[in-house]
Amino acid sequence: MKYFFLVFLLILLGFNSTLVASNAELMQASQIFKKCAKCHGKDGKNLAFGTSDEIAGQEVEELIDSMNFFKNSKFGKRGVINVMAKQVKNLSDQQIQELAKYISNLGQKK
């Protein structure tokens, strides 16, 4: 019986730490998105500079590819490319992934 209780407790602790990590990542992504919202809008539906598509609801991989494009772009950083490059240049791969999930979820109806 003690063994069963110990196993149950370990499973419960592991599950709880996963939830805490997910909540922390979501909180971090929402904080990062505040900078994005200045151009893309709080709901991700503004056409930034009148040239971008709505970013809310885009596929996660598409958003990751776009952010990495701007982050790694080597050609003349002017205009929109410069703005986006500055926004994502210091984000880690993990932050980009969590931010992409957050933005993708903006398009889902609640």
Side-chain angles (χ1 to χ4, degrees):
M1 186 68 167
K2 288 181 185 179
Y3 177 75
F4 175 75
F5 179 73
L6 181 61
V7 170
F8 177 74
L9 185 60
L10 289 174
I11 291 171
L12 185 61
L13 288 173
F15 179 71
N16 190 33
S17 66
T18 301
L19 288 178
V20 170
S22 295
N23 287 338
E25 290 164 353
L26 181 60
M27 179 68 87
Q28 184 181 27
S30 68
Q31 292 300 313
I32 293 169
F33 184 75
K34 287 182 179 181
K35 293 191 320 186
C36 307
K38 292 177 183 175
C39 296
H40 291 284
K42 291 180 182 180
D43 60 359
K45 295 186 178 183
N46 282 3
L47 307 180
F49 298 103
T51 59
S52 75
D53 293 330
E54 290 182 8
I55 59 173
Q58 287 187 13
E59 296 293 324
V60 172
E61 286 301 318
E62 185 177 336
L63 290 162
I64 291 170
D65 288 346
S66 293
M67 285 187 266
N68 282 326
F69 168 79
F70 288 112
K71 181 177 180 178
N72 300 320
S73 179
K74 300 291 184 219
F75 59 91
K77 294 185 177 183
R78 297 186 181 109
V80 174
I81 292 173
N82 188 39
V83 171
M84 284 298 301
K86 286 180 180 179
Q87 295 300 318
V88 298
K89 73 178 179 180
N90 293 319
L91 296 180
S92 69
D93 290 341
Q94 182 67 32
Q95 288 172 315
I96 287 174
Q97 185 176 20
E98 294 306 320
L99 181 58
K101 289 178 192 175
Y102 179 84
I103 294 169
S104 183
N105 287 332
L106 287 175
Q108 295 179 358
K109 292 185 179 182
K110 295 180 181 179

